[in-house]
Amino acid sequence: MERRELVASLVAGGCAGMCVDLTLYPLDTLKTRLQSQQGFYKAGGFRGIYAGVPSAAVGSFPNAAAFFVTYECTKSLLGAGGAGHVAPVTHMLAASLGEVVACLIRVPTEVVKQRTQAAPSSSTRRMLLATLTEEGVRGLYRGYGSTVLRELGYISFSSLQAPVHPFLRFLHQVVFAEEKTDMKRLRGYDRLLRLVRHGLLRAACVARLKVRKKKNQRAASMSLGSLPALNTWSSAAGCTRGDPVLFGAVSTLGIFKGAIAAFVTTPLDVAKTRIMLAKAGSTTARGNIPLVLHGVWRSQGLSGLFAGSIPRTAFISVGGFIFLGAYEEARRSLMTVPGP
């Protein structure tokens, strides 16, 4: 990766991360309090929903920048432009390594932030000093393993989908190209996706075909379902701001994909929160994730394992939409600035 691309990824990732964290911070506070062992109202309820925000603000930029620089560098080393069947694996490995590196910055700020969120009468500074006094620097990294596991679980679940790049390329040809549609391939994709009907991409195709004066009317009747969304907007071939209908549909599908992955991995997030908030020396503070999850299951059942799933799902899905969009726009803008 060239120096200019590296700097662009660093700045764009940091700015996008700060934008998301500060905009949706109240959702994160509500999630933490719902997952805390003391209960939502004892942890502060709806009071002081911006408690701990200085910690998030300080760590947001370097955390996001570390992820995207690692992600872009790993993709470059592994050869992201390789064969289509290899590309998804490359992206997954790059994202996983990016999270491992980013957690070195994220976890200390997360520990201070969550403890302040669960004790709004305190302050970020006092919570940081209390943690260092009682547990030392090691206390700031309590929950590192559970945080990495949560992020890797999220990435893995998001990647358990058939690659959609070939279909999107073909869809772009169907909707925008002038040449005659290959109806045999179209019927093949229709059979593949007919389980979920009347999806957003169907609406996108129909709308675009109407704009194109109803060209390829046979294509308009296809039963397109909701596709697994892409991790970045720019990875959809031909899906740019110049094509607003399809661009908007794929972007919206990205929200749904993030929402599903966020909901499924909520138990891992509950374990992480419990470990970070636990008193020093307690069994939970040791970081045994299966033991923590078993304890939550015995005391609160399924509702305890999925505590905070609604604000978490909202944060990650909407936050992912904002993050990736802001990142792509910032990086594109930085790359177009003339060099010295």
Side-chain angles (χ1 to χ4, degrees):
M1 178 183 290
E2 296 180 359
R3 178 185 178 86
R4 187 177 181 184
E5 292 180 347
L6 184 65
V7 173
S9 296
L10 175 70
V11 177
C15 292
M18 287 190 67
C19 179
V20 173
D21 288 344
L22 298 180
T23 302
L24 302 179
Y25 190 81
L27 288 175
D28 186 68
T29 299
L30 296 179
K31 182 210 71 172
T32 298
R33 293 174 181 177
L34 286 168
Q35 294 176 348
S36 65
Q37 190 169 4
Q38 58 185 319
F40 178 73
Y41 290 103
K42 289 185 177 180
F46 294 99
R47 296 181 294 105
I49 56 176
Y50 278 94
V53 73
S55 179
V58 169
S60 182
F61 188 99
N63 166 56
F67 171 81
F68 268 96
V69 168
T70 306
Y71 176 75
E72 295 289 352
C73 289
T74 305
K75 278 201 309 179
S76 179
L77 291 174
L78 295 177
H85 64 281
V86 177
V89 178
T90 299
H91 284 280
M92 186 176 68
L93 291 175
S96 299
L97 184 58
E99 288 295 352
V100 171
V101 173
C103 282
L104 294 173
I105 300 173
R106 179 184 306 154
V107 172
T109 60
E110 187 81 359
V111 168
V112 176
K113 182 198 71 176
Q114 288 205 303
R115 292 181 180 183
T116 308
Q117 287 173 329
S121 58
S122 184
S123 67
T124 300
R125 179 176 177 276
R126 286 201 296 268
M127 193 61 68
L128 173 61
L129 294 176
T131 301
L132 290 174
T133 301
E134 188 174 0
E135 303 176 70
V137 176
R138 186 175 182 179
L140 294 176
Y141 280 93
R142 189 205 293 179
Y144 177 83
S146 58
T147 304
V148 171
L149 182 62
R150 180 196 65 177
E151 299 302 332
L152 295 184
Y154 178 85
I155 293 171
S156 299
F157 181 83
S158 299
S159 302
L160 291 178
Q161 307 286 351
V164 297
H165 297 74
F167 175 78
L168 287 174
R169 284 196 294 269
F170 177 60
L171 178 64
H172 184 264
Q173 293 176 2
V174 171
V175 180
F176 302 108
E178 296 290 344
E179 60 269 17
K180 185 177 180 180
T181 302
D182 186 342
M183 295 307 299
K184 182 177 180 181
R185 291 177 62 195
L186 180 59
R187 285 193 296 271
Y189 281 117
D190 177 58
R191 288 194 297 270
L192 177 65
L193 301 171
R194 64 186 177 182
L195 294 178
V196 184
R197 298 177 182 276
H198 308 296
L200 291 174
L201 288 183
R202 174 188 170 90
C205 289
V206 173
R208 176 56 63 183
L209 287 169
K210 287 181 178 179
V211 173
R212 303 282 296 186
K213 298 180 180 180
K214 298 183 178 181
K215 287 184 178 181
N216 294 327
Q217 291 186 10
R218 294 179 64 189
S221 63
M222 62 185 175
S223 299
L224 288 176
S226 179
L227 293 176
L230 300 176
N231 288 328
T232 60
W233 294 346
S234 61
S235 57
C239 187
T240 65
R241 290 191 181 278
D243 305 326
V245 177
L246 187 58
F247 180 85
V250 174
S251 301
T252 303
L253 289 169
I255 297 180
F256 293 150
K257 179 181 179 181
I260 295 171
F263 180 81
V264 171
T265 56
T266 296
L268 293 175
D269 189 56
V270 171
K272 184 216 67 145
T273 299
R274 293 292 182 93
I275 291 171
M276 288 184 173
L277 296 181
K279 293 182 178 180
S282 64
T283 303
T284 303
R286 296 175 184 174
N288 189 320
I289 298 174
L291 188 62
V292 173
L293 291 176
H294 180 68
V296 174
W297 168 260
R298 291 187 60 184
S299 61
Q300 296 178 273
L302 193 62
S303 62
L305 291 176
F306 285 90
S309 58
I310 294 178
R312 170 173 163 77
T313 299
F315 186 100
I316 290 184
S317 57
V318 179
F321 180 84
I322 298 172
F323 191 108
L324 293 174
Y327 172 78
E328 292 292 343
E329 285 298 313
R331 189 173 186 275
R332 188 180 301 112
S333 298
L334 291 169
M335 291 298 294
T336 56
V337 175

